[in-house]
């Protein structure tokens, strides 16, 4: 099956509104020769400005997280209703920084996925293992648990547009990168778990991204792997010419 490539940039806690708009202007240089879906995830404060700056580009705009209630006394939280109202169509859930720094458990993420789907947001669901877990041979066990518990109770139809992102925690912002072979092996394992959960047709169709120190000089080798359908980029997504090169990978 031919899956459409998906190239995503997670801007994390970077860029003012002005800087975000300027970055979008720089990304317009991409030729998108691979006909990929291109997604950017700015800070909440920049979502609406980025949506407006992206008109005519085809870029998809995502929130980096959302809460699981529509509204209420939840100081500092952003609801899926607000995300959608700002113009975003996608939301990243389960990023390793949300899991490790802010206590997002599988149970919390399950509620966030439900809230996002309720309001028609496309979920980019992140999974990944720590260095200790990989070195003790628990990579597949950990990732299976994150998928089974985080996506519990949903149907293949509900999740048909979902994108999965595999991000080995030990390779995020460290300069270490899983080898293309390691990425392929884990993506294949993720697809097998999704086949168990939702059927082979679903697993064959779902796009699985690799995230973890993706750079302009390693994206070609990563994207060459059969089960790697795209990348979730951190630092180099903040540099227009670098991210343009990643979008236009060979």
């Amino acid at each position: 099956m031919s899956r459409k490539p998906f190239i995503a940039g997670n801007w994390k806690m970077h860029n003012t509104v002005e800087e975000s708009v300027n970055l979008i202007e720089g990304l317009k240089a991409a030729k998108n020769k691979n006909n990929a879906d291109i997604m950017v995830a700015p800070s909440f404060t920049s979502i609406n400005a980025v949506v407006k700056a992206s008109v005519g580009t085809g870029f998809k705009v995502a929130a980096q997280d959302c809460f699981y209630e529509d509204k209420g006394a939840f100081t500092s939280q952003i609801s899926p209703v607000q995300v959608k109202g700002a113009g975003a169509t996608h939301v990243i859930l389960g990023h390793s920084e949300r899991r490790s720094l802010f206590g997002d458990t599988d149970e919390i993420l399950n509620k966030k996925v439900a809230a996002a789907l309720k309001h028609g947001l496309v979920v980019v669901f992140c999974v990944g293992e720590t260095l200790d877990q990989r070195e003790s041979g628990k990579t597949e066990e950990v990732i299976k648990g994150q998928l089974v518990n985080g996506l519990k109770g949903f149907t293949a139809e509900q999740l048909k547009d979902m994108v999965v992102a595999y991000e080995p925690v030990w390779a995020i912002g460290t300069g270490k990168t899983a080898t293309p072979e390691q990425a392929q092996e884990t993506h294949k394992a993720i697809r097998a778990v999704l086949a168990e959960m939702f059927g082979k047709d679903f697993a064959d169709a779902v796009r699985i991204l690799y995230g973890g120190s993706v750079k302009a000089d390693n994206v070609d080798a990563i994207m060459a792997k059969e089960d790697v359908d795209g990348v979730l980029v951190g630092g180099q997504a903040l540099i227009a010419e670098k991210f343009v090169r990643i979008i236009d990978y060979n």
Side-chain angles (χ1 to χ4, degrees):
M1 172 175 287
S2 177
R3 293 178 291 267
K4 187 176 185 181
F6 195 107
I7 308 297
N10 177 15
W11 297 357
K12 306 191 181 184
M13 199 177 71
H14 294 283
N15 291 353
T16 62
V17 172
E18 181 181 7
E19 288 167 341
S20 296
V21 169
N22 288 341
L23 181 50
I24 290 295
E25 291 303 317
L27 297 183
K28 290 178 181 179
K31 296 180 177 65
N32 195 13
K33 64 184 186 181
N34 302 297
N35 190 32
D37 282 335
I38 301 166
M39 187 191 86
V40 295
S43 295
F44 288 121
T45 51
S46 295
I47 286 175
N48 189 244
V50 166
V51 167
K52 290 175 179 175
S54 299
V55 169
T57 64
F59 296 168
K60 302 176 188 306
V61 181
Q64 297 175 15
D65 184 41
C66 73
F67 196 55
Y68 50 75
E69 295 288 353
D70 289 356
K71 59 184 175 181
F74 304 103
T75 297
S76 88
Q77 295 301 297
I78 308 290
S79 80
V81 179
Q82 292 170 320
V83 167
K84 197 168 182 181
T89 54
H90 290 57
V91 60
I92 298 172
L93 295 175
H95 191 280
S96 64
E97 290 157 5
R98 288 294 319 171
R99 291 176 186 267
S100 64
L101 298 176
F102 302 105
D104 277 8
T105 62
D106 291 337
E107 292 70 30
I108 288 171
L109 290 169
N110 189 255
K111 291 164 71 173
K112 288 185 174 186
V113 171
L117 293 177
K118 174 184 169 185
H119 293 287
L121 292 169
V122 177
V123 172
V124 179
F125 190 76
C126 300
V127 296
E129 83 285 14
T130 64
L131 185 59
D132 283 349
Q133 289 164 339
R134 171 163 279 274
E135 289 183 340
S136 57
K138 293 181 178 174
T139 294
E140 292 187 18
E141 175 189 337
V142 167
I143 289 171
K144 182 172 184 175
Q146 291 171 341
L147 290 168
V148 168
N149 295 317
L151 301 177
K152 182 169 53 182
F154 301 111
T155 65
E157 177 62 23
Q158 286 175 299
L159 297 175
K160 68 182 187 300
D161 296 322
M162 177 186 69
V163 176
V164 175
Y166 166 56
E167 33 161 41
V169 179
W170 48 272
I172 296 172
T174 62
K176 294 180 181 177
T177 312
T179 64
E181 292 71 28
Q182 286 173 318
Q184 166 60 23
E185 178 184 28
T186 308
H187 282 220
K188 187 175 180 180
I190 289 169
R191 215 175 287 285
V193 173
L194 293 173
E196 286 177 28
M197 294 176 70
F198 302 111
K200 184 176 185 299
D201 288 349
F202 176 92
D204 285 344
V206 73
R207 290 177 292 182
I208 306 175
L209 317 183
Y210 171 75
S213 296
V214 176
K215 301 181 179 67
D217 59 7
N218 64 18
V219 66
D220 298 344
I222 292 168
M223 286 300 298
K225 293 301 181 181
E226 179 184 358
D227 286 295
V228 178
D229 306 308
V231 287
L232 178 59
V233 186
Q236 294 219 335
L238 298 166
I239 306 165
E241 59 269 28
K242 298 287 190 185
F243 195 51
V244 163
R245 171 63 182 82
I246 290 169
I247 291 169
D248 290 328
Y249 67 90
N250 293 316

